[in-house]
Amino acid sequence: MGVSVVKNKLTFLLALVLIIGILAGCGSKGESSGDSSSSGSKTIKDLKISFVPSKEPDEIITATEPLKGLLKDELKKEGYKVDKVDINVGTTYEAVGEALSAGTTDIGLIPGGTYVLYDDGADVILTATRAGLSNDSDNPKDWNDNKPTKPTDKQATYYRALLVAGPSKKGQELAEKVNSGKKLTWNDLNSAKWAVMSSTSSAGYIYPTLWLQDKYGKSITDLKHVVQSDSYGSSMAHLAQGQADIMVAYADVRRDYEGQWTKDFKRSKSIWDETNVIGVTQPIYNDTISVSKKSSIMTDDFKKALQTAFINIAKTDKGKKVIAVYSHEGYQKAKSSDYDGERKAQKLLQSMK
């Protein structure tokens, strides 16, 4: 009788434990299902993308409008549902870097120079590729002897910055000296009016400064007559109107503004007839697509999804039109160490201040 009671009690206790276990399991399964439903759907309510103002902001906003739908479609293939994509253009290059650092934007299309300045708050995930150019010489005269510069089928992971002299009397004087095989002096350059970009622009400031440092032991800050432009279009307008004798820009800038030179800037001759290269910088690693380290949505998995999405977008006709606004033709995965050369450039600039 005692044994039977003990057995009955044990049976009851085991049954009770089993019931509790089943109930707990159901409860935990329900909670897990809620989490997995939330994480499994991988919904991004608002994806914010910022562009630097290397061209007119309105032009960038118009050109990149299709990116919203393209990105939603590609990310959906990667398991992410994006409700809304916001695109904006920063007031300056630095403003986009600061937005990435603060987490007020999720993705920034920024030059290498801006990225390394803000890499405490930004991760590089992709680097742009672009068409190689028919000219790639260190000697500016070669660029002038082989005008116009044309694209090639070869994709390049770097580009150069050029010092372009315009149609002003001083600009033509400097070009004539270079084309006759003579070397420019510091006084030649210091007596000219320059149009440059913001101090974190690779082609519009940093590498031209390194060029001056290498050739003359000087910096852009040492020049007497410098105007900082808000876009390359503004610099080109200054050059066309004679308000600047020299502008600094990426190597295919004249291809981009060939039509505007005669149409909008009212020049009677072509941009190739009226401008000449007087300086060529060392290679510059291409622009980045960087993401914010402070963004709550920027997981490792989402970064991989973004890499795949942008690479795939760049292979489509619609995508190519969008990224052409930055002269990009494709993307490849990037890592921080790709920009170590840019970091050295930044250190040199800091030491010169």
Side-chain angles (χ1 to χ4, degrees):
M1 186 81 175
V3 173
S4 176
V5 170
V6 170
K7 282 184 177 179
N8 287 338
K9 284 185 176 178
L10 283 173
T11 303
F12 174 76
L13 287 172
L14 285 171
L16 187 61
V17 168
L18 184 60
I19 291 168
I20 291 171
I22 290 170
L23 290 173
C26 289
S28 101
K29 185 176 179 182
E31 287 170 11
S32 171
S33 170
D35 290 341
S36 112
S37 165
S38 161
S39 65
S41 64
K42 297 179 180 177
T43 298
I44 305 293
K45 290 184 178 179
D46 189 8
L47 183 62
K48 296 181 286 294
I49 305 175
S50 297
F51 288 79
V52 294
S54 59
K55 291 190 177 178
E56 297 299 330
D58 288 346
E59 181 183 351
I60 294 173
I61 292 293
T62 301
T64 58
E65 177 65 26
L67 180 61
K68 297 176 181 179
L70 292 170
L71 202 49
K72 284 182 181 181
D73 291 343
E74 287 298 327
L75 287 172
K76 188 176 181 180
K77 296 175 187 176
E78 300 304 309
Y80 285 89
K81 180 181 179 292
V82 180
D83 291 338
K84 183 181 179 185
V85 176
D86 281 318
I87 292 177
N88 65 79
V89 180
T91 53
T92 63
Y93 288 42
E94 294 86 349
V96 178
E98 287 166 6
L100 287 167
S101 293
T104 54
T105 196
D106 303 305
I107 302 169
L109 278 81
I110 56 178
T114 310
Y115 159 63
V116 300
L117 193 64
Y118 292 94
D119 62 1
D120 283 348
D123 271 329
V124 61
I125 61 169
L126 293 165
T127 189
T129 61
R130 62 178 74 203
L133 297 176
S134 55
N135 291 317
D136 190 38
S137 171
D138 292 320
N139 184 352
K141 186 177 184 298
D142 292 339
W143 292 71
N144 301 330
D145 290 342
N146 297 289
K147 292 190 287 189
T149 300
K150 296 179 180 178
T152 66
D153 292 334
K154 184 180 178 182
Q155 290 290 294
T157 56
Y158 71 85
Y159 63 105
R160 295 179 185 271
L162 302 179
L163 281 67
V164 180
S168 67
K169 183 178 179 182
K170 171 60 72 172
Q172 293 297 302
E173 175 190 312
L174 297 175
E176 186 179 343
K177 194 168 183 179
V178 167
N179 290 335
S180 64
K182 297 176 182 176
K183 290 185 178 180
L184 296 175
T185 66
W186 170 249
N187 286 336
D188 288 332
L189 298 173
N190 198 31
S191 60
K193 293 174 288 188
W194 290 60
V196 305
M197 296 293 286
S198 71
S199 60
T200 64
S201 168
S202 298
Y205 196 98
I206 295 170
Y207 280 78
T209 290
L210 293 176
W211 183 86
L212 287 171
Q213 174 71 15
D214 181 55
K215 302 286 186 186
Y216 307 98
K218 301 287 187 179
S219 159
I220 283 176
T221 56
D222 295 315
L223 292 165
K224 284 184 179 179
H225 312 289
V226 178
V227 172
Q228 183 174 307
S229 301
D230 58 5
S231 69
Y232 284 116
S234 295
S235 285
M236 191 63 77
H238 290 320
L239 198 72
Q241 293 158 10
Q243 296 167 347
D245 306 306
I246 300 168
M247 72 170 287
V248 293
Y250 55 97
D252 46 354
V253 68
R254 291 181 295 174
R255 290 184 56 239
D256 287 350
Y257 288 93
E258 184 174 5
Q260 285 180 254
W261 187 260
T262 50
K263 184 180 178 182
D264 297 339
F265 304 148
K266 311 298 183 186
R267 300 299 306 180
S268 58
K269 294 182 180 179
S270 81
I271 197 169
W272 303 105
D273 291 329
E274 293 201 292
T275 65
N276 286 275
V277 178
I278 61 169
V280 184
T281 73
Q282 62 180 279
I284 308 167
Y285 213 78
N286 281 345
D287 294 344
T288 80
I289 295 182
S290 295
V291 297
S292 172
K293 292 181 179 178
K294 297 288 181 67
S295 170
S296 59
I297 65 173
M298 210 53 66
T299 62
D300 288 341
D301 186 65
F302 189 48
K303 288 178 193 176
K304 290 176 184 176
L306 285 170
Q307 287 175 321
T308 302
F310 274 105
I311 288 171
N312 288 341
I313 286 170
K315 293 176 182 177
T316 68
D317 290 339
K318 286 184 179 178
K320 287 182 187 298
K321 287 181 181 177
V322 170
I323 65 176
V325 72
Y326 272 2
S327 300
H328 297 175
E329 296 202 355
Y331 298 103
Q332 66 181 28
K333 292 180 182 180
K335 54 186 184 295
S336 178
S337 59
D338 291 338
Y339 291 87
D340 284 346
E342 194 72 38
R343 291 183 176 90
K344 291 178 182 176
Q346 292 282 1
K347 285 181 181 178
L348 178 56
L349 286 177
Q350 291 298 323
S351 70
M352 290 162 52
K353 288 182 179 178

